[in-house]
Amino acid sequence: GAVVSQHPSWVICKSGTSVKIECRSLDFQATTMFWYRQFPKQSLMLMATSNEGSKATYEQGVEKDKFLINHASLTLSTLTVTSAHPEDSSFYICSALGGRGSYNEQFFGPGTRLTVL
Amino acid sequence: GNSVTQMEGPVTLSEEAFLTINCTYTATGYPSLFWYVQYPGEGLQLLLKATKADDKGSNKGFEATYRKETTSFHLEKGSVQVSDSAVYFCALSATSNTGKLIFGQGTTLQVKP
């Protein structure tokens, strides 16, 4: 149980186009999901917290108009990279917060590799 | 602010060797501490956790003890296997328990037969 999927697993796009990445909790409901960005050989950087039915909370320095997050249901959050540029090329990882008793654990998706040409 | 520092990798060991991956943290209050593992091509998985000082988390032969006096949470395993080859991330969650995690930079472990 507690599986999180991401789609697509990798995407290549031209500069100036928009790309949507989906994050789904397959066997549990998640009111909260997180989006991370990971550069090669570096740590995961939290971009935003996505809450079902409300606006996402972005971390300092993350452009909310460039990285649009929609959490329309308890099992799906989407990240849209608008007007992508080569510097947006990265590995994007989502996680979903699931409860186990009194403790909430983050379950991670396998990530999406974005390459902007 | 809160931060996590891990020893740099890659770490290369022979099978059955002893493993230590150092992790230290900076945080206000009493954070919870975690080790995550990322196998090739897969998402991060929780390996073990500790929620208060002196707690020892353990799973699959891995152990880590929450040391508040040294602000450390070092990962250890007595005898590594080839299947342990992966990237290991130390992380903390602040006292406010919003669920947000702060990660270290990750340490790549390669175990050779």
Side-chain angles (χ1 to χ4, degrees):
Chain A
V3 178
V4 176
S5 70
Q6 282 185 242
H7 178 80
S9 55
W10 59 270
V11 57
I12 300 173
C13 70
K14 292 182 179 180
S15 187
T17 61
S18 295
V19 174
K20 179 185 286 188
I21 302 170
E22 294 185 347
C23 176
R24 294 182 184 271
S25 56
L26 298 185
D27 49 4
F28 67 102
Q29 294 182 332
T31 56
T32 302
M33 292 185 176
F34 300 91
W35 286 96
Y36 296 85
R37 184 171 178 176
Q38 185 180 26
F39 293 99
K41 300 187 186 300
Q42 294 189 28
S43 182
L44 281 73
M45 181 193 76
L46 179 64
M47 298 174 66
T49 303
S50 170
N51 295 298
E52 187 268 337
S54 64
K55 291 182 178 180
T57 304
Y58 291 82
E59 296 298 303
Q60 192 172 12
V62 178
E63 299 176 61
K64 62 180 181 181
D65 294 330
K66 180 166 189 63
F67 299 100
L68 300 180
I69 292 172
N70 187 329
H71 194 155
S73 79
L74 288 172
T75 59
L76 173 65
S77 175
T78 60
L79 169 68
T80 301
V81 183
T82 62
S83 186
H85 291 284
E87 58 265 29
D88 299 323
S89 297
S90 191
F91 195 55
Y92 293 88
I93 300 173
C94 74
S95 69
L97 199 60
R100 286 183 175 177
S102 62
Y103 174 69
N104 286 326
E105 179 179 336
Q106 284 193 37
F107 299 95
F108 287 81
T112 297
R113 172 77 59 194
L114 169 63
T115 301
V116 184
L117 302 177
Chain B
N2 299 332
S3 66
V4 176
T5 302
Q6 286 179 238
M7 65 184 288
E8 289 192 20
V11 174
T12 302
L13 296 173
S14 298
E15 208 165 19
E16 300 184 1
F18 184 86
L19 168 72
T20 300
I21 300 178
N22 290 337
C23 171
T24 56
Y25 68 91
T26 301
T28 55
Y30 301 93
S32 294
L33 301 173
F34 307 84
W35 276 100
Y36 284 84
V37 58
Q38 186 177 30
Y39 297 105
E42 299 183 17
L44 275 73
Q45 302 172 27
L46 178 63
L47 180 61
L48 54 84
K49 69 179 188 292
T51 58
K52 61 183 187 296
D54 299 325
D55 267 3
K56 177 185 284 188
S58 61
N59 185 25
K60 299 181 181 180
F62 291 90
E63 292 183 341
T65 301
Y66 188 151
R67 302 283 188 201
K68 188 166 178 62
E69 63 276 14
T70 54
T71 61
S72 65
F73 193 54
H74 304 323
L75 182 68
E76 296 182 338
K77 186 174 185 181
S79 176
V80 294
Q81 305 300 313
V82 172
S83 57
D84 294 326
S85 298
V87 182
Y88 292 81
F89 292 91
C90 185
L92 71 81
S93 177
T95 311
S96 59
N97 195 27
T98 60
K100 291 168 61 171
L101 290 169
I102 296 171
F103 286 90
Q105 65 267 43
T107 302
T108 300
L109 170 66
Q110 184 177 19
V111 180
K112 296 185 174 180

